[in-house]
Amino acid sequence: MKQKDYHCENGGATKTELEEAREREATASPASGSSMMTSAGRASSSNARRTAEPPVKSRPPFPWFGLDIGGTLVKLVYFEPKDITAEEEQEEVENLKSIRKYLTSNVAYGSTGIRDVHLELKELTLCGRTGNLHFIRFPTQDMHAFLQMVRQKHFSSLHTTLCATGGGAYKFEPDFRMMANLQLLKLDELDCLVRGILYIDSVKSNGPSECYYFENPSDPEHCIQKPYRLENPYPLLLVNIGSGVSILAVYSEDNYRRVTGTSLGGGTFLGLCCLLTGCSTFEEALDMASRGESTRVDKLVRDIYGGDYERFGLPGWAVASSFGNMMCKAKQESVSKEDLARATLVTITNNIGSITRMCALNENIERVVFVGNFLRVNTLSMKLLAYAMEYWSKGQLKALFLQHEGYFGAVGALLELLNPST
Amino acid sequence: MADCARKGRTRDSMDKSITLPPDEIFRNLENAKRFAIDIGGSLTKLAYYSTVQHKVAKVRSFDHTAKETEGDPLYEISVQEEITARLHFIKFENTYIETCLDFIKDHLVNTETKVIKATGGGAYKFKELIEKKLRLKVDKEDEMTCLIKGCNFVLRNIPHEAFVYAKHADSEFRFQNTHPDIFPYLLINIGSGVSIVKVESEDKFERIGGSSIGGGTFWGLGALLTKTKRFDELLQLASRGQHSSVDMLVKDIYGGAYSSLGLTGDLIASSFGKSATTDKEFSKEDMAKSLLHMISNDIGQLACLYARLHNLSRVYFGGFFIRGHPVTMHTITYSINFFTKGEVQALFLRHEGYLGAIGAFLKGAEEDNPNQYSWGENYAGSSGLMSVSPDLNPMQRARSGTFDMLEMDRLERQLVNLPLLQDPSSYVPDTVDLTEDALAREYWLSCFEDALDGVVKRAVASQPDLPQAAERAEKFRQKYLHKLQTLRHQPFAYGSLTVRSLLDTREHCLNEFNFPDPYSKVKQKENDVALKYFQKVVMSLEKLSWEQRQFALVKGLLAGNVFDWGAKRPWLVDCYNEWLERLKGPPHKCALFFVDNSGIDIILGVFPFVRELLCRGTEVVLASNSGPALNDVTNSELQILTERIAAMDSVIQTALKEDKLTLVQSGSSSPCLDLSRLDKALATVVLERHTDLVVIEGMGRAIHTNYYAMLNCESLKLAVIKNSWLAERLGGKIFSVVFKYEVPFKSQELKQ
């Protein structure tokens, strides 16, 4: 079970501010409350909470952060209150102000931290406060530099609780304590993920759509991104592609299960690309891939059979053997780094596609949502996945994507701070 | 995906310099026909059908209507030539293909052959060469169809074909019983890509899926990463590497396990996840290992997903990625265990490399209808599992090239299960698996080695008038000794090693050098002598009281009435009282009796016992070997003996006349007994006569095999243990008696 360091002082019979706010706005669909996003085991406590909500004054002090420390990237969401009264402004301690100013006035932090400005959610009402939600990321390998900064900014003086999820919440917990004098509230990453997705989708239901799909994925000329309304989304297969891949079957807001996972994920793409091409960043690898041609590296069905393998309904263009041409020395010499990057991307993406498709069949689910930072600025993979889902399922499966692809875990962690599920 | 890697590696020039011992490899070419060839990326598999002329011992009854003279033998033995069908499969490196084709052309006599069936990626590449050299038309067959046909054939005809691989167990190979129904199953063929095929019946199969991440990915990507060209070398690298320096493990992310999901710290979270950096060098070994895990896990996962979707539990793996490589068998097994939590076992095949060639051959031989026959693996002519494995025996590979052979004999009869087996799918004939029992293995291998001189002597003595008997016997000695040595190092070579397989291998080797029946003369003499005492024995039994007689009959079965073995009770295993009680009850409807030795045993032991059963009103079916093995009585000998006994004994005579006593052949030529491979006619008789008692006698049939066999009718298993080591193992001394009377649970209940 989840470790629980933080809790509101007492449990009253009122609704959370969040829910009140929602009701005021009258935007929330019945299925979209953030407090409901819990795993099956916690369903009862979640139900109990609806009738015994904490009082308004349980709202935690600023700053509000949610942290997701993955294998490759750390994702940080920060809620910047915009409705700060003059009184509050006066009371706001210097340290808090400086953190707020630092985060909101920059788009890059250090050499590797980046704020995804295009994802920022403006004028969001959260826990009765209105403000902007910022999305920031930096490589996990820079965790110690981050902790240095946290110490310099005297974060610990703010007496806030830092909600963190992802494996790093466990791995770096001692470092947080020792280097920054901070106690982490560790949260399960899949709980946070599911909770985050359903929340973001709900708050964006009247703005630009969070969820989208590709129309005509088989036709590059006419393949266009289209908004998709994720209302009544269950059952749904959720594929989270980070360094590795987790596949969850989500049957209702509080009933989900990790079906399987694969170690061939974003980390594999980048790791292999680094070894094969000497590149060093995800962006570089993707850029190369966009300029390469995988069919020189892969052996296709038509390379073997001269065309389609009709007996088994395999089209000639299908990949028979990823990297299959590289068994041959002469062909090795004729491919470019770009070709290799492209082949790596296609291999990893198609493999995730086929495992996903098999899971969808086994679980009897027709809707698949792909998330995770592997898909960031990676339209190539998204279109491939969209196409693979449609083609191999003969139109039965629909691949869906979300704008905030990699940040849902961090959002879920933030929600836990504001509205603990236990 | 199809095995397209096969085009991948061929050397630019053919190696013509090698000197083959081809007459030992391409055997029986004179009569060869129906050639088929499967050319892969590195190995060629050739198949053909041939007839083998070999000597068989025939017995023929003299005309006994003429007046008998003292000293005339009971019957005459003649060694005759017999022609039997044999399938030859040879596997060799593509390098040798031209040399091999030349050799075949030179030795091919049969000119009827016009076509050679071909499959595999290399079939296109070598088409012209084959057509030019052999002057045969190359007829291409679909690869997958051949593969499935071949797979069905080996699963049906070769016991212990499939095995589970357990790297860290005492015995790495755990052979599976042949399930009476081989369908449905899943075949995962890992060539350059992966094909997942669901096989539902002989003619119905479907490619239900596949993956492009296969052997070609390991090879291609591995070549790029490590600058290593050869597939074998890549595997070698992988077997020495540590993947944890390249892979991101769960503990690298979590600092430990992700326990709420049950993911251990050592689990790979992201393959190559640690190599996403430019400031570190990774060793070739580590990268190769990481790649191997990545691909094996991925294939295993997909296999499990397909197996679950189609609700299949038998999953066989094949293709060049697997073929004979302990490294990949281990990683695939690990992956399947992980993803199915042990519910599905990864199965591998001993003759996996031959499937395509066998299938192509079967396509070409459809008019001979090979599927209507049963076939048996010839241990003398087959190389056995991993005979050329580079991992296991690098020396051998360097010395003899990589010629690997499989020979299968067409059996005269179609073989089926004994219908009385309680659970055919779990029936294991052999009592001790020497593959797993190292102590027993050591004992029996030495035992057979020590006995070899005697066998050689006996073989020579059996053919005083035939040419080169001594030379042939010496060749036999060499061959069998070599087999024993191989088995010492690779006990898994022919499936589970058992006393039965050791005995059968010896018989196959004897036949190979034209010693079809070394005991023929001994048997003849013993039968002759014993017959003279038959009436005396019967008369003395008649004089005994009923109870005394029953005991004497059992003693006779145990020791042919001659020695005093087993006189003292209680025996080592003693169910005699229960048996006696049973005899006081109603007679059995029909008893099936698996007989053992010639001479005293059959004539003075079995026949009086049978006579008593007949008198009680029980019909009797006597099952004897179809072919010779040691001094066991064969069906043709037993027919003559029965005639002779009938002439002396009215009970037997009447029973024969009224069809109450029937002789059938077992379909076997082994001193042991496999109740799952018996003559179909025997099975029919057993059912027709409502057999309710099975008697199995002798060490080979009742101790080495079938000691634990569960039947759904009453059974007697009896033997004198004539081997002190075995007796001690069973807790007794030499000449201990086993008298096991078993009643299946159900009929016991009914009685109460």
Side-chain angles (χ1 to χ4, degrees):
Chain A
M1 273 321 276
K2 199 176 298 184
Q3 191 170 321
K4 189 172 141 294
D5 299 329
Y6 162 88
H7 203 283
C8 334
E9 300 89 308
N10 49 42
T14 54
K15 290 172 180 147
T16 60
E17 268 192 308
L18 173 64
E19 282 184 353
E20 281 178 26
R22 279 246 194 74
E23 278 169 18
R24 275 199 302 277
E25 287 169 26
T27 56
S29 65
S32 60
S34 68
S35 63
M36 299 162 221
M37 304 314 120
T38 51
S39 67
R42 254 169 267 149
S44 57
S45 62
S46 133
N47 287 335
R49 194 157 23 81
R50 270 177 224 151
T51 53
E53 302 290 352
V56 175
K57 61 182 169 188
S58 74
R59 184 163 63 204
F62 287 123
W64 293 353
F65 283 109
L67 196 57
D68 176 5
I69 312 170
T72 311
L73 282 177
V74 180
K75 283 77 65 175
L76 181 72
V77 295
Y78 167 62
F79 182 79
E80 174 205 2
K82 294 297 262 187
D83 55 357
I84 297 178
T85 58
E87 195 185 342
E88 272 181 318
E89 178 100 33
Q90 245 174 359
E91 278 177 15
E92 193 176 26
V93 292
E94 210 42 49
N95 287 337
L96 181 57
K97 198 170 291 172
S98 106
I99 287 165
R100 177 158 60 92
K101 290 269 147 64
Y102 173 72
L103 288 177
T104 55
S105 58
N106 290 305
V107 294
Y109 315 93
S111 57
T112 54
I114 284 164
R115 179 154 63 89
D116 283 313
V117 182
H118 67 286
L119 292 179
E120 182 177 332
L121 291 180
K122 292 208 161 81
E123 291 182 38
L124 192 69
T125 305
L126 197 53
C127 237
R129 301 298 301 251
T130 304
N132 299 342
L133 198 56
H134 298 277
F135 297 87
I136 298 161
R137 62 186 151 89
F138 62 89
T140 307
Q141 61 188 29
D142 295 334
M143 196 64 201
H144 285 166
F146 172 76
L147 287 170
Q148 290 287 350
M149 189 204 74
V150 167
R151 185 157 66 175
Q152 277 160 15
K153 303 239 176 246
H154 302 286
F155 210 94
S156 60
S157 68
L158 300 171
H159 305 292
T160 186
T161 304
L162 199 48
C163 282
T165 185
Y170 296 81
K171 183 181 174 184
F172 293 105
E173 190 188 23
D175 295 331
F176 270 89
R177 203 168 46 236
M178 262 127 64
M179 292 178 66
N181 192 26
L182 275 175
Q183 193 68 38
L184 288 186
L185 171 55
K186 302 192 295 292
L187 303 164
D188 180 82
E189 64 174 287
L190 300 182
D191 288 347
C192 288
L193 176 68
V194 175
R195 199 173 182 188
I197 287 173
L198 294 168
Y199 172 72
I200 293 288
D201 184 63
S202 74
V203 297
K204 282 192 70 188
S205 58
N206 59 349
S209 179
E210 173 68 13
C211 184
Y212 59 95
Y213 70 101
F214 289 93
E215 203 175 65
N216 307 319
S218 55
D219 180 1
E221 301 271 305
H222 301 98
C223 177
I224 34 168
Q225 194 173 323
K226 286 265 179 142
Y228 186 87
R229 285 183 66 86
L230 199 61
E231 56 191 346
N232 190 20
Y234 311 111
L236 121 94
L237 204 63
L238 180 57
V239 183
N240 185 31
I241 317 174
S243 315
V245 182
S246 273
I247 300 180
L248 317 182
V250 187
Y251 292 103
S252 75
E253 46 200 63
D254 47 19
N255 178 9
Y256 77 83
R257 175 170 66 82
R258 183 181 190 272
V259 177
T260 188
T262 165
S263 70
L264 284 82
T268 315
F269 164 64
L270 185 54
L272 279 175
C273 272
C274 290
L275 293 173
L276 294 171
T277 70
C279 72
S280 57
T281 67
F282 183 65
E283 288 76 5
E284 224 182 309
L286 273 185
D287 179 53
M288 278 190 172
S290 70
R291 287 179 281 119
E293 186 60 69
S294 62
T295 53
R296 284 197 276 266
V297 179
D298 295 339
K299 193 173 279 231
L300 307 186
V301 168
R302 64 164 177 256
D303 296 333
I304 304 167
Y305 297 100
D308 299 348
Y309 192 1
E310 278 160 20
R311 197 180 186 305
F312 298 118
L314 288 175
W317 52 259
V319 184
S321 173
S322 298
F323 287 84
N325 280 341
M326 300 297 92
M327 292 185 277
C328 162
K329 185 89 175 127
K331 287 196 174 151
Q332 269 182 34
E333 282 154 7
S334 72
V335 298
S336 67
K337 289 183 172 183
E338 286 77 10
D339 294 339
L340 292 172
R342 178 65 162 243
T344 311
L345 188 76
V346 170
T347 302
I348 300 296
T349 306
N350 278 339
N351 188 60
I352 294 170
S354 73
I355 291 176
T356 300
R357 198 173 60 83
M358 286 310 295
C359 290
L361 282 172
N362 270 319
E363 301 296 323
N364 201 14
I365 295 178
E366 288 177 358
R367 222 168 341 200
V368 185
V369 178
F370 291 95
V371 295
N373 268 318
F374 173 65
L375 299 175
R376 194 174 62 77
V377 295
N378 187 359
T379 318
L380 218 54
S381 285
M382 287 194 279
K383 286 185 175 174
L384 261 174
L385 286 170
Y387 178 56
M389 289 302 110
E390 189 179 279
Y391 181 86
W392 294 108
S393 74
K394 300 189 175 71
Q396 287 294 298
L397 281 174
K398 195 164 202 74
L400 303 170
F401 304 93
L402 299 175
Q403 303 284 1
H404 288 82
E405 54 242 335
Y407 283 107
F408 298 107
V411 171
L414 172 66
L415 295 173
E416 186 67 25
L417 170 73
L418 304 176
N419 190 5
S421 53
T422 47
Chain B
M1 206 51 252
D3 189 356
C4 56
R6 297 173 164 183
K7 288 180 201 161
R9 187 175 62 87
T10 35
R11 294 181 193 142
D12 297 326
S13 63
M14 294 290 171
D15 188 345
K16 292 172 195 159
S17 62
I18 54 142
T19 45
L20 304 171
D23 52 329
E24 286 173 29
I25 293 161
F26 300 101
R27 299 171 359 132
N28 302 310
L29 270 180
E30 309 78 50
N31 308 308
K33 56 175 186 173
R34 306 216 183 287
F35 280 86
I37 195 163
D38 173 11
I39 308 177
S42 53
L43 294 175
T44 298
K45 283 77 69 173
L46 185 79
Y48 55 88
Y49 169 99
S50 185
T51 47
V52 193
Q53 206 170 27
H54 61 92
K55 297 197 165 29
V56 285
K58 293 268 182 197
V59 292
R60 199 165 63 89
S61 186
F62 286 120
D63 185 2
H64 289 286
T65 49
K67 194 173 177 280
E68 273 179 63
T69 47
E70 268 309 294
D72 258 3
L74 174 66
Y75 51 81
E76 99 183 302
I77 308 164
S78 62
V79 175
Q80 295 173 5
E81 295 288 336
E82 195 183 70
I83 289 173
T84 55
R86 186 174 287 178
L87 302 184
H88 293 261
F89 303 97
I90 301 111
K91 186 162 69 179
F92 51 88
E93 291 201 353
N94 288 354
T95 331
Y96 303 140
I97 196 164
E98 200 166 349
T99 319
C100 292
L101 291 177
D102 281 335
F103 181 86
I104 292 165
K105 183 66 210 162
D106 292 347
H107 291 78
L108 197 59
V109 181
N110 183 320
T111 51
E112 288 165 44
T113 306
K114 302 272 185 274
V115 173
I116 178 166
K117 291 280 179 189
T119 187
Y124 288 119
K125 184 171 177 152
F126 291 98
K127 185 171 185 268
E128 270 183 41
L129 185 76
I130 298 168
E131 293 194 333
K132 197 182 86 197
K133 293 269 177 195
L134 296 183
R135 284 178 226 123
L136 296 177
K137 190 178 159 289
V138 170
D139 194 0
K140 177 101 170 103
E141 287 291 336
D142 175 70
E143 222 172 307
M144 196 62 71
T145 311
C146 291
L147 201 66
I148 303 300
K149 263 191 171 305
C151 192
N152 293 339
F153 185 81
V154 294
L155 285 175
R156 210 167 337 90
N157 287 289
I158 307 188
H160 291 169
E161 175 61 32
F163 61 88
V164 167
Y165 184 79
K167 189 184 176 187
H168 300 294
D170 286 344
S171 162
E172 286 167 87
F173 303 86
R174 284 214 314 279
F175 296 96
Q176 306 293 298
N177 294 316
T178 314
H179 198 278
D181 187 7
I182 60 172
F183 304 109
Y185 66 86
L186 206 56
L187 178 67
I188 317 282
N189 192 50
I190 315 175
S192 50
V194 180
S195 279
I196 300 175
V197 187
K198 178 184 177 183
V199 186
E200 286 176 281
S201 72
E202 193 58 53
D203 302 306
K204 194 175 172 208
F205 70 90
E206 186 191 356
R207 184 188 188 277
I208 55 173
S211 165
S212 69
I213 300 186
T217 314
F218 177 70
W219 195 344
L221 201 44
L224 289 171
L225 292 171
T226 68
K227 315 279 175 245
T228 303
K229 267 184 276 174
R230 285 178 52 100
F231 180 73
D232 291 8
E233 284 168 37
L234 273 169
L235 282 181
Q236 293 279 344
L237 281 180
S239 63
R240 294 196 300 266
Q242 289 292 329
H243 72 103
S244 56
S245 62
V246 182
D247 289 342
M248 187 181 280
L249 308 183
V250 167
K251 69 181 172 200
D252 293 321
I253 301 176
Y254 272 81
Y258 183 177
S259 3
S260 64
L261 285 185
L263 304 177
T264 62
D266 286 324
L267 210 66
I268 305 170
S270 174
S271 294
F272 287 90
K274 278 187 197 152
S275 67
T277 167
T278 41
D279 38 80
K280 234 180 109 185
E281 285 285 307
F282 298 92
S283 82
K284 289 178 178 186
E285 287 83 356
D286 294 353
M287 289 187 289
K289 178 69 161 231
S290 173
L291 188 61
L292 176 67
H293 277 307
M294 175 179 109
I295 289 167
S296 302
N297 286 338
D298 193 54
I299 295 169
Q301 179 170 27
L302 274 174
C304 295
L305 286 167
Y306 278 100
R308 192 184 309 155
L309 188 65
H310 293 263
N311 200 19
L312 296 169
S313 58
R314 267 174 288 176
V315 184
Y316 299 101
F317 286 85
F320 81 75
F321 185 69
I322 298 294
R323 201 155 300 163
H325 298 295
V327 191
T328 54
M329 287 195 285
H330 173 63
T331 52
I332 286 285
T333 300
Y334 178 88
S335 168
I336 294 289
N337 277 341
F338 175 79
F339 284 109
T340 67
K341 299 183 178 73
E343 278 173 33
V344 173
Q345 285 188 315
L347 295 168
F348 304 96
L349 301 170
R350 278 202 288 141
H351 299 100
E352 190 276 320
Y354 287 110
L355 302 187
I358 294 174
F361 167 81
L362 292 172
K363 279 295 264 185
E366 266 163 3
E367 62 191 71
D368 289 343
N369 207 356
N371 271 335
Q372 78 177 1
Y373 298 101
S374 287
W375 299 79
E377 181 179 12
N378 187 305
Y379 296 138
S382 303
S383 315
L385 185 63
M386 315 213 79
S387 65
V388 290
S389 159
D391 305 307
L392 218 82
N393 204 341
M395 283 308 291
Q396 196 178 353
R397 185 190 176 90
R399 208 171 50 239
S400 69
T402 58
F403 286 84
D404 186 274
M405 299 182 298
L406 166 65
E407 293 185 3
M408 297 189 68
D409 291 319
R410 191 175 80 193
L411 308 175
E412 294 303 311
R413 341 271 309 174
Q414 207 176 343
L415 303 183
V416 297
N417 273 309
L418 178 67
L420 301 171
L421 281 176
Q422 228 173 56
D423 177 14
S425 60
S426 70
Y427 167 72
V428 183
D430 306 285
T431 307
V432 180
D433 182 348
L434 303 180
T435 334
E436 301 200 348
D437 189 333
L439 264 173
R441 176 168 74 239
E442 191 43 47
Y443 170 78
W444 285 110
L445 284 170
S446 306
C447 187
F448 276 86
E449 232 169 68
D450 295 345
L452 194 47
D453 278 341
V455 177
V456 168
K457 251 182 235 163
R458 175 97 58 198
V460 177
S462 73
Q463 299 184 347
D465 312 319
L466 289 178
Q468 287 115 32
E471 289 93 322
R472 282 186 286 117
E474 190 48 37
K475 278 189 186 161
F476 153 75
R477 181 211 298 278
Q478 292 307 327
K479 180 125 198 177
Y480 190 56
L481 204 57
H482 182 251
K483 291 279 170 197
L484 291 175
Q485 277 158 358
T486 305
L487 287 167
R488 213 176 269 277
H489 297 114
Q490 291 147 242
F492 46 77
Y494 300 96
S496 286
L497 182 68
T498 59
V499 174
R500 177 169 62 106
S501 74
L502 285 168
L503 284 163
D504 290 352
T505 306
R506 193 166 72 188
E507 297 296 328
H508 291 175
C509 290
L510 279 166
N511 270 318
E512 174 80 24
F513 295 100
N514 274 322
F515 293 107
D517 194 358
Y519 281 84
S520 54
K521 291 214 153 55
V522 181
K523 288 187 287 184
Q524 185 192 35
K525 208 173 135 204
E526 284 176 357
N527 286 335
D528 218 15
V529 172
L531 265 183
K532 296 195 167 78
Y533 292 94
F534 177 75
Q535 279 170 311
K536 249 183 246 171
V537 168
V538 170
M539 273 193 304
S540 66
L541 284 165
E542 294 281 299
K543 283 182 199 143
L544 299 174
S545 71
W546 182 83
E547 202 148 320
Q548 282 173 323
R549 188 164 69 246
Q550 301 315 312
F551 187 65
L553 284 169
V554 165
K555 271 207 311 181
L557 273 184
L558 291 165
N561 265 350
V562 174
F563 306 101
D564 203 21
W565 294 340
K568 220 190 273 165
R569 291 185 55 208
W571 294 319
L572 183 58
V573 177
D574 194 336
C575 309
Y576 179 74
N577 293 344
E578 290 83 347
W579 171 243
L580 190 68
E581 279 310 302
R582 174 62 188 86
L583 287 179
K584 289 174 188 164
H588 296 92
K589 265 199 196 73
C590 174
L592 169 66
F593 201 125
F594 288 97
V595 301
D596 188 26
N597 296 338
S598 298
I600 290 164
D601 179 34
I602 181 76
I603 296 167
L604 305 181
V606 176
F607 267 102
F609 186 86
V610 165
R611 198 177 170 278
E612 181 78 12
L613 286 175
L614 290 168
C615 292
R616 276 171 60 78
T618 302
E619 293 181 20
V620 178
V621 177
L622 284 181
S624 54
N625 268 7
S626 301
L630 298 177
N631 62 338
D632 292 357
V633 63
T634 64
N635 185 254
S636 45
E637 288 161 353
L638 188 58
Q639 279 180 5
I640 297 171
L641 295 180
T642 310
E643 262 173 51
R644 289 302 307 276
I645 289 170
M648 296 185 268
D649 189 302
S650 62
V651 175
I652 301 292
Q653 183 148 47
T654 315
L656 278 176
K657 219 174 273 167
E658 294 176 357
D659 205 22
K660 297 256 173 9
L661 174 61
T662 315
L663 306 186
V664 294
Q665 42 184 312
S666 65
S668 160
S669 302
S670 166
C672 295
L673 181 63
D674 179 352
L675 294 177
S676 66
R677 281 168 77 80
L678 293 174
D679 192 331
K680 204 175 179 180
L682 183 153
T684 312
V685 171
V686 159
L687 282 181
E688 277 171 7
R689 312 237 159 163
H690 304 286
T691 305
D692 53 356
L693 173 68
V694 172
V695 185
I696 307 175
E697 67 148 343
M699 282 239 296
R701 291 179 183 76
I703 306 286
H704 291 315
T705 55
N706 300 309
Y707 191 68
Y708 299 115
M710 307 273 275
L711 302 177
N712 50 28
C713 67
E714 292 170 50
S715 65
L716 274 181
K717 296 166 189 170
L718 34 109
V720 175
I721 304 173
K722 290 172 272 184
N723 171 298
S724 57
W725 185 87
L726 185 64
E728 263 170 53
R729 260 227 163 180
L730 294 171
K733 284 186 186 140
I734 189 157
F735 305 136
S736 289
V737 168
V738 170
F739 186 91
K740 208 174 178 188
Y741 168 60
E742 288 167 309
V743 181
F745 193 59
K746 218 164 58 186
S747 53
Q748 249 173 354
E749 265 184 348
L750 283 177
K751 257 192 261 171
Q752 290 161 0

